[in-house]
Coordinates of all heavy atoms in Angstrom, one line a residue:
M1 N 1.2 25.7 8.5 CA 1.2 24.5 7.7 C 0.1 24.5 6.7 O -1.1 24.8 7.1 CB 1.1 23.3 8.7 CG 1.1 22.0 8.0 SD 1.1 20.6 9.1 CE 2.7 20.5 9.7
S2 N 0.4 24.2 5.5 CA -0.7 24.1 4.5 C -1.6 22.9 4.6 O -1.3 22.0 5.4 CB 0.0 24.1 3.1 OG 0.5 22.8 2.8
L3 N -2.7 23.0 4.0 CA -3.7 21.9 4.0 C -3.0 20.6 3.5 O -3.2 19.6 4.0 CB -4.9 22.3 3.2 CG -6.1 21.3 3.2 CD1 -6.5 20.9 4.6 CD2 -7.2 21.9 2.4
L4 N -2.3 20.8 2.4 CA -1.6 19.6 1.8 C -0.6 19.0 2.8 O -0.6 17.8 3.0 CB -0.9 20.0 0.5 CG -0.1 18.8 -0.1 CD1 -0.9 17.6 -0.4 CD2 0.6 19.3 -1.4
D5 N 0.1 19.8 3.5 CA 1.0 19.3 4.5 C 0.3 18.6 5.6 O 0.8 17.6 6.1 CB 1.9 20.5 5.1 CG 2.9 21.1 4.1 OD1 3.2 20.4 3.1 OD2 3.3 22.2 4.3
S6 N -0.8 19.2 6.1 CA -1.6 18.6 7.2 C -2.1 17.2 6.8 O -2.0 16.2 7.5 CB -2.8 19.5 7.5 OG -2.3 20.7 8.1
V7 N -2.6 17.1 5.6 CA -3.2 15.9 5.1 C -2.1 14.9 4.8 O -2.2 13.7 5.3 CB -4.0 16.1 3.7 CG1 -4.3 14.8 3.1 CG2 -5.3 16.9 4.0
S8 N -1.0 15.3 4.2 CA 0.2 14.4 4.0 C 0.7 13.9 5.3 O 1.0 12.7 5.4 CB 1.3 15.1 3.2 OG 0.8 15.5 1.9
D9 N 0.9 14.7 6.3 CA 1.4 14.3 7.6 C 0.5 13.3 8.2 O 1.0 12.3 8.8 CB 1.6 15.5 8.5 CG 2.8 16.3 8.1 OD1 3.6 15.9 7.3 OD2 3.0 17.4 8.7
A10 N -0.8 13.5 8.2 CA -1.8 12.6 8.7 C -1.7 11.2 8.1 O -1.8 10.2 8.7 CB -3.2 13.2 8.7
I11 N -1.6 11.2 6.8 CA -1.5 10.0 6.0 C -0.2 9.2 6.3 O -0.2 8.0 6.5 CB -1.7 10.2 4.5 CG1 -3.1 10.7 4.2 CG2 -1.5 8.9 3.7 CD1 -3.3 11.2 2.8
K12 N 0.9 10.0 6.4 CA 2.2 9.4 6.7 C 2.2 8.8 8.1 O 2.7 7.7 8.3 CB 3.3 10.4 6.6 CG 3.6 10.7 5.1 CD 4.6 11.9 5.0 CE 4.9 12.3 3.6 NZ 5.8 13.5 3.5
T13 N 1.5 9.5 9.0 CA 1.4 8.9 10.4 C 0.6 7.6 10.4 O 1.0 6.7 11.1 CB 0.7 10.0 11.3 OG1 1.5 11.2 11.3 CG2 0.5 9.5 12.7
K14 N -0.5 7.6 9.6 CA -1.3 6.4 9.5 C -0.5 5.2 8.9 O -0.5 4.1 9.4 CB -2.5 6.7 8.6 CG -3.5 5.5 8.5 CD -4.1 5.2 9.9 CE -5.1 4.1 9.8 NZ -5.6 3.6 11.1
I15 N 0.3 5.5 7.9 CA 1.2 4.5 7.3 C 2.2 4.0 8.3 O 2.4 2.8 8.4 CB 1.9 5.1 6.0 CG1 0.9 5.3 4.9 CG2 3.0 4.1 5.6 CD1 1.4 6.1 3.7
D16 N 2.8 4.9 9.1 CA 3.7 4.5 10.1 C 3.0 3.6 11.2 O 3.6 2.6 11.6 CB 4.3 5.7 10.8 CG 5.3 6.4 9.9 OD1 5.8 5.9 8.9 OD2 5.6 7.6 10.2
E17 N 1.8 3.9 11.6 CA 1.1 3.1 12.5 C 0.8 1.7 12.0 O 0.9 0.7 12.7 CB -0.2 3.8 12.9 CG -0.1 5.1 13.7 CD -1.4 5.8 13.9 OE1 -2.4 5.4 13.4 OE2 -1.4 6.9 14.5
L18 N 0.4 1.7 10.7 CA 0.1 0.4 10.1 C 1.4 -0.5 10.0 O 1.3 -1.7 10.2 CB -0.5 0.6 8.7 CG -2.0 1.2 8.8 CD1 -2.4 1.6 7.4 CD2 -2.9 0.1 9.3
D19 N 2.5 0.2 9.6 CA 3.8 -0.6 9.6 C 4.1 -1.2 10.9 O 4.6 -2.3 11.0 CB 4.9 0.4 9.1 CG 4.9 0.6 7.6 OD1 4.4 -0.3 6.9 OD2 5.5 1.7 7.2
K20 N 3.9 -0.4 12.0 CA 4.1 -0.9 13.4 C 3.2 -2.0 13.7 O 3.6 -3.0 14.4 CB 4.0 0.2 14.4 CG 5.1 1.2 14.3 CD 5.0 2.4 15.3 CE 6.1 3.4 15.1 NZ 5.9 4.6 15.8
Q21 N 2.0 -2.0 13.2 CA 1.1 -3.1 13.5 C 1.5 -4.4 12.8 O 1.4 -5.5 13.3 CB -0.4 -2.7 13.0 CG -1.1 -1.7 13.9 CD -2.5 -1.4 13.4 OE1 -2.9 -1.9 12.4 NE2 -3.1 -0.5 14.1
V22 N 2.1 -4.2 11.5 CA 2.6 -5.4 10.8 C 3.8 -6.0 11.6 O 3.8 -7.2 11.8 CB 3.1 -5.0 9.4 CG1 3.9 -6.1 8.7 CG2 1.9 -4.6 8.5
E23 N 4.7 -5.1 12.1 CA 5.8 -5.6 12.8 C 5.4 -6.3 14.1 O 5.9 -7.3 14.5 CB 6.7 -4.4 13.2 CG 7.5 -3.9 12.0 CD 8.2 -2.6 12.3 OE1 8.3 -2.2 13.5 OE2 8.7 -1.9 11.4
A24 N 4.4 -5.7 14.8 CA 3.9 -6.3 16.0 C 3.2 -7.7 15.7 O 3.4 -8.7 16.5 CB 2.9 -5.4 16.7
E25 N 2.5 -7.7 14.6 CA 1.8 -9.0 14.2 C 2.9 -10.1 14.0 O 2.7 -11.2 14.4 CB 1.0 -8.7 13.0 CG 0.2 -9.9 12.5 CD -1.0 -10.3 13.4 OE1 -1.6 -9.4 14.0 OE2 -1.3 -11.5 13.4
Q26 N 3.9 -9.7 13.3 CA 5.0 -10.7 13.0 C 5.7 -11.1 14.2 O 6.1 -12.3 14.4 CB 5.9 -10.1 11.9 CG 5.3 -10.0 10.6 CD 6.1 -9.2 9.5 OE1 6.9 -8.3 9.9 NE2 5.8 -9.5 8.3
A27 N 6.0 -10.2 15.1 CA 6.7 -10.5 16.4 C 5.8 -11.4 17.2 O 6.3 -12.4 17.8 CB 7.0 -9.3 17.2
D28 N 4.5 -11.2 17.3 CA 3.6 -12.0 18.0 C 3.5 -13.4 17.4 O 3.5 -14.4 18.1 CB 2.2 -11.3 18.1 CG 1.2 -12.1 19.0 OD1 1.6 -12.4 20.1 OD2 0.1 -12.3 18.6
A29 N 3.5 -13.5 16.1 CA 3.5 -14.8 15.4 C 4.7 -15.6 15.7 O 4.6 -16.8 16.0 CB 3.3 -14.6 13.9
K30 N 5.8 -14.9 15.8 CA 7.1 -15.6 16.1 C 7.0 -16.2 17.5 O 7.4 -17.3 17.7 CB 8.3 -14.6 16.0 CG 9.6 -15.2 15.9 CD 10.6 -14.1 15.7 CE 11.8 -14.7 14.9 NZ 12.9 -13.7 14.7
R31 N 6.5 -15.4 18.4 CA 6.4 -15.9 19.8 C 5.4 -17.1 19.8 O 5.7 -18.1 20.5 CB 5.9 -14.8 20.7 CG 5.7 -15.2 22.2 CD 5.0 -14.1 23.0 NE 3.7 -13.8 22.4 CZ 2.6 -14.5 22.5 NH1 2.6 -15.7 23.1 NH2 1.4 -14.1 22.0
Q32 N 4.3 -17.0 19.1 CA 3.3 -18.0 19.1 C 3.9 -19.3 18.5 O 3.6 -20.4 18.9 CB 2.0 -17.6 18.4 CG 1.2 -16.6 19.2 CD -0.1 -16.2 18.4 OE1 -0.6 -17.0 17.6 NE2 -0.5 -15.0 18.6
M33 N 4.6 -19.1 17.4 CA 5.2 -20.3 16.7 C 6.2 -21.0 17.7 O 6.2 -22.2 17.7 CB 6.0 -19.8 15.5 CG 5.1 -19.3 14.4 SD 4.1 -20.6 13.6 CE 5.3 -21.3 12.6
A34 N 6.9 -20.3 18.5 CA 7.8 -20.9 19.4 C 7.1 -21.7 20.5 O 7.6 -22.7 21.0 CB 8.7 -19.8 20.1
E35 N 5.9 -21.2 20.8 CA 5.1 -21.9 21.8 C 4.2 -23.0 21.3 O 3.7 -23.8 22.1 CB 4.3 -20.9 22.6 CG 5.1 -19.9 23.4 CD 4.2 -18.8 24.0 OE1 3.0 -18.8 23.8 OE2 4.8 -17.9 24.6
A36 N 4.0 -23.0 20.0 CA 3.1 -24.0 19.4 C 3.6 -25.4 19.6 O 4.8 -25.7 19.5 CB 3.0 -23.7 17.9
K37 N 2.6 -26.3 20.0 CA 3.0 -27.7 20.3 C 2.9 -28.6 19.1 O 3.6 -29.6 19.0 CB 2.0 -28.2 21.4 CG 2.0 -27.4 22.6 CD 3.2 -27.7 23.5 CE 3.1 -27.0 24.8 NZ 4.3 -26.4 25.3
S38 N 2.1 -28.2 18.1 CA 1.9 -29.2 17.0 C 2.1 -28.4 15.6 O 2.1 -27.2 15.6 CB 0.4 -29.7 17.0 OG -0.5 -28.7 16.7
E39 N 2.3 -29.2 14.6 CA 2.4 -28.7 13.3 C 1.1 -28.0 12.8 O 1.2 -27.0 12.1 CB 2.8 -29.8 12.3 CG 4.2 -30.3 12.5 CD 5.3 -29.2 12.4 OE1 5.3 -28.4 11.5 OE2 6.1 -29.2 13.3
Q40 N 0.0 -28.5 13.3 CA -1.3 -27.9 12.9 C -1.4 -26.6 13.5 O -1.9 -25.6 12.9 CB -2.5 -28.8 13.3 CG -3.8 -28.3 12.9 CD -4.0 -28.1 11.4 OE1 -3.7 -28.9 10.6 NE2 -4.5 -26.9 11.0
A41 N -1.0 -26.4 14.8 CA -1.1 -25.1 15.5 C -0.2 -24.1 14.7 O -0.6 -23.0 14.6 CB -0.7 -25.3 16.9
K42 N 1.0 -24.6 14.3 CA 1.9 -23.7 13.6 C 1.3 -23.3 12.3 O 1.4 -22.1 11.9 CB 3.2 -24.4 13.4 CG 4.1 -24.5 14.6 CD 5.4 -25.2 14.4 CE 6.1 -25.4 15.7 NZ 7.4 -26.0 15.5
A43 N 0.6 -24.2 11.6 CA 0.0 -23.9 10.3 C -1.1 -22.9 10.5 O -1.3 -22.0 9.7 CB -0.5 -25.2 9.6
D44 N -1.9 -23.1 11.6 CA -3.0 -22.1 11.9 C -2.5 -20.7 12.1 O -3.0 -19.8 11.7 CB -3.8 -22.6 13.0 CG -4.6 -23.9 12.7 OD1 -4.8 -24.2 11.5 OD2 -5.1 -24.5 13.7
I45 N -1.4 -20.7 12.9 CA -0.8 -19.4 13.2 C -0.3 -18.7 11.9 O -0.5 -17.5 11.7 CB 0.4 -19.6 14.2 CG1 -0.2 -20.0 15.6 CG2 1.2 -18.3 14.3 CD1 0.9 -20.5 16.5
Q46 N 0.4 -19.5 11.1 CA 0.9 -18.9 9.8 C -0.2 -18.4 8.9 O -0.1 -17.3 8.4 CB 1.7 -20.0 9.1 CG 3.1 -20.2 9.7 CD 3.8 -21.3 9.0 OE1 3.2 -22.3 8.4 NE2 5.2 -21.2 9.0
S47 N -1.3 -19.1 8.9 CA -2.4 -18.7 8.1 C -3.1 -17.5 8.6 O -3.4 -16.5 7.8 CB -3.5 -19.9 8.1 OG -4.6 -19.5 7.3
E48 N -3.2 -17.4 9.9 CA -3.8 -16.2 10.5 C -3.0 -15.0 10.3 O -3.4 -13.9 10.0 CB -4.1 -16.4 12.0 CG -4.7 -15.3 12.7 CD -5.0 -15.5 14.2 OE1 -4.9 -16.6 14.6 OE2 -5.2 -14.5 14.9
V49 N -1.7 -15.2 10.5 CA -0.7 -14.0 10.4 C -0.7 -13.6 8.9 O -0.7 -12.4 8.7 CB 0.7 -14.4 10.9 CG1 1.7 -13.4 10.5 CG2 0.7 -14.6 12.4
K50 N -0.7 -14.5 8.0 CA -0.7 -14.1 6.6 C -1.9 -13.3 6.3 O -1.8 -12.3 5.6 CB -0.6 -15.4 5.7 CG -0.6 -15.1 4.2 CD -0.5 -16.3 3.4 CE -0.5 -15.9 1.9 NZ -0.8 -17.0 1.1
S51 N -3.0 -13.7 6.7 CA -4.3 -13.0 6.5 C -4.2 -11.6 7.1 O -4.6 -10.6 6.5 CB -5.5 -13.8 7.1 OG -6.6 -13.1 6.9
N52 N -3.8 -11.5 8.3 CA -3.7 -10.2 9.0 C -2.7 -9.3 8.4 O -3.0 -8.1 8.2 CB -3.4 -10.4 10.5 CG -4.5 -11.1 11.3 OD1 -5.6 -11.2 10.9 ND2 -4.1 -11.6 12.5
V53 N -1.6 -9.8 8.0 CA -0.6 -9.0 7.4 C -1.0 -8.5 6.0 O -0.8 -7.3 5.6 CB 0.8 -9.7 7.3 CG1 1.8 -9.0 6.4 CG2 1.4 -9.9 8.7
E54 N -1.7 -9.4 5.2 CA -2.2 -9.0 3.9 C -3.3 -7.9 4.1 O -3.3 -6.9 3.3 CB -2.9 -10.2 3.2 CG -1.8 -11.1 2.7 CD -2.4 -12.4 2.1 OE1 -3.7 -12.6 2.2 OE2 -1.7 -13.2 1.5
S55 N -4.1 -8.0 5.1 CA -5.1 -6.9 5.4 C -4.5 -5.6 5.7 O -4.8 -4.5 5.2 CB -6.0 -7.4 6.5 OG -6.9 -6.4 6.8
L56 N -3.4 -5.7 6.6 CA -2.7 -4.4 6.9 C -2.0 -3.9 5.7 O -2.0 -2.7 5.5 CB -1.7 -4.7 8.1 CG -2.4 -5.0 9.4 CD1 -1.3 -5.5 10.4 CD2 -3.0 -3.7 10.0
Q57 N -1.4 -4.7 4.9 CA -0.7 -4.3 3.7 C -1.6 -3.6 2.7 O -1.3 -2.6 2.1 CB 0.1 -5.4 3.1 CG 1.0 -5.0 2.0 CD 2.1 -4.0 2.5 OE1 2.8 -4.3 3.4 NE2 2.2 -2.9 1.8
K58 N -2.8 -4.1 2.6 CA -3.8 -3.4 1.8 C -4.1 -2.0 2.3 O -4.2 -1.1 1.5 CB -5.1 -4.3 1.7 CG -6.1 -3.6 0.7 CD -7.4 -4.4 0.6 CE -8.4 -3.8 -0.3 NZ -8.4 -2.4 -0.6
K59 N -4.3 -1.9 3.6 CA -4.5 -0.6 4.2 C -3.3 0.3 3.9 O -3.5 1.5 3.6 CB -4.8 -0.7 5.7 CG -6.1 -1.4 6.0 CD -6.3 -1.5 7.5 CE -7.6 -2.2 7.8 NZ -7.8 -2.4 9.2
I60 N -2.1 -0.2 4.0 CA -0.9 0.6 3.7 C -0.9 1.1 2.3 O -0.7 2.2 2.0 CB 0.4 -0.2 4.1 CG1 0.5 -0.4 5.6 CG2 1.6 0.5 3.5 CD1 1.6 -1.3 6.0
D61 N -1.2 0.1 1.4 CA -1.2 0.5 0.0 C -2.3 1.5 -0.3 O -2.1 2.4 -1.1 CB -1.5 -0.8 -0.9 CG -0.3 -1.8 -0.9 OD1 0.8 -1.4 -0.5 OD2 -0.5 -2.9 -1.2
D62 N -3.5 1.4 0.3 CA -4.6 2.4 0.1 C -4.1 3.7 0.6 O -4.4 4.8 0.0 CB -5.8 1.9 0.9 CG -6.5 0.7 0.2 OD1 -6.2 0.4 -0.9 OD2 -7.4 0.1 0.9
A63 N -3.4 3.8 1.8 CA -3.0 5.0 2.3 C -1.9 5.7 1.4 O -1.9 6.9 1.2 CB -2.4 4.8 3.7
K64 N -1.0 4.8 0.9 CA 0.0 5.4 0.0 C -0.7 6.0 -1.3 O -0.2 7.0 -1.8 CB 1.0 4.3 -0.4 CG 2.0 4.0 0.7 CD 2.9 2.9 0.3 CE 3.9 2.6 1.5 NZ 4.8 1.5 1.1
K65 N -1.7 5.3 -1.8 CA -2.4 5.8 -2.9 C -3.1 7.1 -2.6 O -3.1 8.1 -3.3 CB -3.4 4.8 -3.5 CG -4.2 5.4 -4.7 CD -5.2 4.4 -5.3 CE -5.9 4.8 -6.5 NZ -6.1 6.2 -6.7
Q66 N -3.7 7.2 -1.4 CA -4.3 8.4 -0.9 C -3.3 9.5 -0.8 O -3.6 10.7 -1.2 CB -5.0 8.1 0.4 CG -6.0 9.1 0.9 CD -6.7 8.7 2.1 OE1 -6.1 8.1 3.0 NE2 -8.0 9.0 2.2
L67 N -2.1 9.2 -0.4 CA -1.1 10.2 -0.3 C -0.7 10.7 -1.6 O -0.6 12.0 -1.9 CB 0.2 9.6 0.4 CG 1.3 10.6 0.6 CD1 1.0 11.8 1.5 CD2 2.5 9.8 1.3
S68 N -0.6 9.8 -2.6 CA -0.3 10.2 -4.0 C -1.4 11.1 -4.5 O -1.1 12.1 -5.2 CB -0.1 8.9 -4.8 OG 0.2 9.3 -6.1
D69 N -2.6 10.7 -4.3 CA -3.8 11.4 -4.8 C -3.8 12.8 -4.2 O -4.2 13.8 -4.8 CB -5.1 10.7 -4.5 CG -5.2 9.4 -5.4 OD1 -4.4 9.2 -6.3 OD2 -6.1 8.6 -5.0
A70 N -3.5 12.9 -2.9 CA -3.5 14.2 -2.2 C -2.6 15.2 -2.8 O -2.9 16.4 -2.9 CB -3.2 14.0 -0.7
K71 N -1.4 14.7 -3.3 CA -0.5 15.6 -3.9 C -1.0 16.2 -5.2 O -0.5 17.3 -5.6 CB 0.8 14.9 -4.2 CG 1.6 14.5 -2.9 CD 2.8 13.7 -3.1 CE 3.5 13.3 -1.8 NZ 4.6 12.5 -2.0
E72 N -2.0 15.6 -5.8 CA -2.6 16.1 -7.1 C -3.9 16.7 -6.8 O -4.5 17.2 -7.8 CB -2.7 14.9 -8.0 CG -1.5 14.1 -8.3 CD -0.5 14.9 -9.1 OE1 -0.9 15.7 -10.0 OE2 0.8 14.8 -8.9
A73 N -4.4 16.7 -5.6 CA -5.8 17.1 -5.3 C -5.9 18.7 -5.3 O -5.0 19.4 -5.0 CB -6.2 16.6 -4.0
S74 N -7.1 19.1 -5.6 CA -7.5 20.5 -5.4 C -7.7 20.8 -4.0 O -7.8 19.9 -3.1 CB -8.8 20.8 -6.2 OG -9.9 20.1 -5.6
E75 N -7.8 22.0 -3.7 CA -8.1 22.5 -2.3 C -9.4 21.8 -1.7 O -9.4 21.4 -0.6 CB -8.2 24.0 -2.3 CG -7.9 24.7 -1.0 CD -6.5 24.6 -0.5 OE1 -5.5 24.4 -1.3 OE2 -6.3 24.7 0.7
E76 N -10.4 21.8 -2.6 CA -11.7 21.2 -2.2 C -11.5 19.7 -1.9 O -12.1 19.2 -0.9 CB -12.7 21.4 -3.3 CG -14.1 21.0 -2.9 CD -15.1 21.4 -4.1 OE1 -15.3 22.6 -4.3 OE2 -15.6 20.4 -4.7
Q77 N -10.8 19.0 -2.8 CA -10.6 17.6 -2.6 C -9.7 17.3 -1.3 O -10.0 16.4 -0.6 CB -9.9 17.0 -3.8 CG -10.7 16.9 -5.0 CD -9.9 16.6 -6.3 OE1 -8.8 17.1 -6.4 NE2 -10.6 15.9 -7.2
L78 N -8.8 18.2 -1.1 CA -7.9 18.1 0.2 C -8.8 18.3 1.4 O -8.6 17.5 2.4 CB -6.8 19.1 0.2 CG -5.6 18.8 -0.7 CD1 -4.7 19.9 -0.8 CD2 -4.9 17.5 -0.3
D79 N -9.7 19.2 1.3 CA -10.6 19.4 2.4 C -11.5 18.2 2.7 O -11.7 17.8 3.9 CB -11.5 20.7 2.2 CG -12.1 21.2 3.5 OD1 -11.3 21.3 4.5 OD2 -13.2 21.6 3.4
A80 N -11.9 17.5 1.7 CA -12.7 16.3 1.8 C -11.9 15.2 2.4 O -12.4 14.5 3.3 CB -13.3 15.9 0.5
I81 N -10.6 15.1 2.0 CA -9.7 14.1 2.6 C -9.5 14.4 4.0 O -9.5 13.5 4.9 CB -8.4 14.0 1.8 CG1 -8.6 13.5 0.4 CG2 -7.4 13.2 2.5 CD1 -7.4 13.7 -0.5
K82 N -9.3 15.6 4.3 CA -9.1 16.1 5.7 C -10.2 15.7 6.6 O -10.0 15.1 7.7 CB -8.9 17.6 5.8 CG -8.7 18.1 7.1 CD -8.5 19.7 7.1 CE -8.5 20.2 8.5 NZ -8.4 21.7 8.5
K83 N -11.4 15.9 6.1 CA -12.6 15.5 6.9 C -12.7 14.0 7.1 O -13.1 13.5 8.1 CB -13.9 16.1 6.2 CG -14.0 17.5 6.4 CD -15.2 18.1 5.7 CE -15.3 19.6 5.8 NZ -16.3 20.2 5.0
K84 N -12.4 13.3 6.0 CA -12.4 11.8 6.0 C -11.4 11.3 7.1 O -11.7 10.3 7.8 CB -12.1 11.2 4.7 CG -12.2 9.7 4.6 CD -12.0 9.3 3.2 CE -11.9 7.7 3.1 NZ -11.7 7.2 1.8
L85 N -10.3 11.9 7.1 CA -9.2 11.5 8.1 C -9.4 12.0 9.5 O -8.7 11.7 10.4 CB -7.8 11.9 7.6 CG -7.4 11.3 6.3 CD1 -6.1 11.9 5.8 CD2 -7.2 9.8 6.4
K86 N -10.4 12.9 9.6 CA -10.8 13.5 10.9 C -9.6 14.3 11.5 O -9.2 14.2 12.6 CB -11.3 12.5 11.9 CG -12.5 11.8 11.4 CD -13.0 10.7 12.3 CE -14.2 10.0 11.7 NZ -14.4 8.7 12.3
I87 N -9.0 15.1 10.6 CA -7.9 16.0 11.0 C -8.4 17.3 11.5 O -9.3 17.9 10.9 CB -6.9 16.3 9.8 CG1 -6.4 15.0 9.2 CG2 -5.8 17.2 10.2 CD1 -5.7 15.2 7.9
A88 N -7.9 17.7 12.7 CA -8.4 19.0 13.3 C -8.0 20.2 12.5 O -7.1 20.2 11.8 CB -7.9 19.1 14.7

């Protein structure tokens, strides 16, 4: 497996993990909304979920940019990305 393949696979795995976190966050919010007793509690849940999902989405966007950059990177740059991602 080439260095580019290793780096790409690691980034894609990270994106998949983040997507799963978004799904889990949304499922948890749905459960909490069903249990919420007041409109204020529901509003607080929605606000928190929105913030968390936005944070995760930023990480996903950053990882996608990193993947795009990796495809154009030199061997030296790929090695730096590999170290940053802590790929064996």
Side-chain angles (χ1 to χ4, degrees):
M1 179 179 283
S2 74
L3 182 56
L4 176 58
D5 290 339
S6 295
V7 169
S8 294
D9 287 349
I11 294 170
K12 288 175 185 175
T13 298
K14 183 64 175 172
I15 291 169
D16 289 343
E17 290 171 2
L18 291 167
D19 281 335
K20 288 177 184 173
Q21 287 179 2
V22 168
E23 290 171 10
E25 183 73 31
Q26 291 171 333
D28 188 47
K30 194 175 210 180
R31 181 191 54 76
Q32 288 181 28
M33 291 290 283
E35 296 173 359
K37 302 283 189 223
S38 69
E39 290 303 312
Q40 182 60 46
K42 290 179 182 181
D44 291 345
I45 292 166
Q46 287 176 329
S47 177
E48 181 180 344
V49 168
K50 181 180 179 197
S51 175
N52 291 345
V53 168
E54 285 174 352
S55 175
L56 289 167
Q57 189 59 53
K58 181 178 180 338
K59 290 178 182 181
I60 291 169
D61 292 344
D62 290 346
K64 286 180 179 178
K65 182 178 181 332
Q66 196 174 37
L67 180 60
S68 177
D69 291 347
K71 292 177 182 177
E72 305 290 324
S74 68
E75 204 66 25
E76 187 176 294
Q77 291 167 323
L78 284 172
D79 201 41
I81 293 171
K82 179 181 173 183
K83 287 178 183 172
K84 183 178 177 182
L85 294 174
K86 299 176 184 160
I87 302 170

